[in-house]
Amino acid sequence: MLSFNRSGLGIWKMGGKKSTPVTPVTPVTPEEKKPELLGNPWRNVAWDHSNKTKLMQSLREYKPTIRSVPQAQILLIGAVGAGKSSFFNSMNSIFRGNITGRAKAGHQDTSLTLKYRTYQVKAGRGGQPLAFLLCDTMGLEPTVNGGLNIEDIVGILKGYIPDKYQFNPAQPMKADDCQACSTLALKDRIHCVVYVIDATTIGIQGMKNKIGEIKKITNSADVPLVALLTKVDKACPHVEKDLTKVYRSCYIKDLIYRAGGSLGIPPSNVIPVKNYYDEIELNDTCDILLLMAMKQMLNFADNYLENYEVNTE
């Protein structure tokens, strides 16, 4: 009988009238196991330039369903370095027609964003603001007194916290620190919360307690929770080579389901994107994913507004 030692060399052993060769089994290391591709995408996307144009026009024409709300307010939260500020920069770049970097973005251990910022996206250079705001926050950190304080999220959702407010992780703003908090209009509140997750790390390690608190807060306020899965190109080699394969990647699909499970939301609420980071030119494929994500966020914001009567103040 032929057996194999650790070096893979065959050794014959006599054990009867017949000698049977044994096929060696080579262990597969995690480094050798590559994500596979599905034969067909599990979400259908048109990757042509005309679809990009159509998506841009849809966002230009978007208006909240309630007239007293001039702009849908989308809150971006997530771990340090997940890509919150980069998402705004990317969206701003698409409508400007060139790469921009208005919001501070980069890589470091602590958050680059220290203030609460509400950013408008304009329809081209010198154009009119579009009917949504992207609200950027300090990054979440695993430690109790690190990064964005959970209590500040409550204040942001209710509209208590003003633009350019300086975050203090150890001392959140209290409701009685601002004026007329009990009479804040619907237009000042957050209409959709987006948890931004780095696909290369999932961005939820050590965050279980804070994620649970965030989920309770959004549920209590009836605000939709969406997840934005960033850096999908760095998470899967197939997608890095060709971004149009994002919905054929078994690995990215698995990440989407895992992220949804961790946040307690359905996979349909998890949207993969690639932000602009080291590029100097725009790319239609990247733009389409980003625009689709923005459109989905506004769909969820509309769901929130539909819970209120027309012209609610």
Side-chain angles (χ1 to χ4, degrees), residues 155 158-161 178-189 313:
K158 294 182 178 180
Y160 296 167
I161 295 182
C178 62
Q179 297 178 352
C181 288
S182 60
T183 59
L184 290 174
L186 184 61
K187 66 181 180 64
D188 297 315
R189 304 174 206 165
E313 295 297 336

Side-chain angles (χ1 to χ4, degrees), residues 27-259:
V28 178
T29 64
E31 292 76 15
E32 294 172 333
K33 187 177 181 180
K34 300 296 183 183
E36 298 178 352
L37 293 175
L38 296 169
N40 296 303
W42 62 286
R43 288 179 182 171
N44 293 317
V45 179
W47 298 107
D48 53 274
H49 183 75
S50 62
N51 188 37
K52 172 187 169 178
T53 302
K54 181 181 177 181
L55 287 165
M56 289 183 70
Q57 187 61 26
S58 174
L59 294 181
R60 287 192 187 100
E61 296 174 351
Y62 170 80
K63 299 293 180 187
T65 55
I66 295 178
R67 285 182 295 175
S68 63
V69 179
Q71 292 178 304
Q73 301 208 93
I74 311 297
L75 178 65
L76 304 173
I77 60 176
V80 173
K84 301 179 295 298
S85 301
S86 293
F87 177 73
F88 162 72
N89 286 337
S90 298
M91 193 57 52
N92 196 46
S93 298
I94 294 172
F95 284 93
R96 279 292 298 266
N98 58 270
I99 300 296
T100 65
R102 184 179 167 195
K104 291 181 181 180
H107 291 285
Q108 65 178 46
D109 294 335
T110 57
S111 181
L112 283 169
T113 302
L114 302 177
K115 295 181 179 180
Y116 177 60
R117 294 307 316 269
T118 58
Y119 291 114
Q120 291 184 333
V121 176
K122 294 184 178 180
R125 184 179 181 185
Q128 293 298 311
L130 302 182
F132 58 85
L133 288 175
L134 291 173
C135 306
D136 197 10
T137 58
M138 188 178 196
L140 290 168
E141 296 179 25
T143 57
V144 175
N145 291 324
L148 180 65
N149 193 294
I150 295 297
E151 290 184 36
D152 274 333
I153 296 178
V154 177
I156 294 171
L157 291 186
K158 294 182 178 180
Y160 296 167
I161 295 182
D163 185 32
K164 299 183 181 179
Y165 167 74
Q166 182 82 34
F167 289 112
N168 182 351
Q171 176 123 22
M173 176 183 276
K174 297 179 181 179
D176 55 9
D177 291 339
C178 62
Q179 297 178 352
C181 288
S182 60
T183 59
L184 290 174
L186 184 61
K187 66 181 180 64
D188 297 315
R189 304 174 206 165
I190 294 298
H191 309 124
C192 178
V193 174
V194 178
Y195 193 98
V196 183
I197 303 173
D198 181 341
T200 64
T201 64
I202 294 299
I204 54 179
Q205 288 87 346
M207 295 284 192
K208 184 176 180 180
N209 291 337
K210 288 192 175 183
I211 289 174
E213 289 299 316
I214 291 169
K215 183 65 178 176
K216 289 179 183 177
I217 291 168
T218 55
N219 282 344
S220 177
D222 291 324
V223 180
L225 179 61
V226 177
L228 192 67
L229 193 66
T230 64
K231 307 179 187 179
V232 291
D233 57 314
K234 301 302 181 184
C236 174
H238 297 295
V239 178
E240 184 173 31
K241 185 177 180 180
D242 183 357
L243 194 57
T244 65
K245 290 184 169 63
V246 64
Y247 287 125
R248 289 181 57 200
S249 168
C250 294
Y251 184 63
I252 297 300
K253 182 177 182 180
D254 179 60
L255 288 182
I256 288 172
Y257 274 76
R258 285 169 57 194

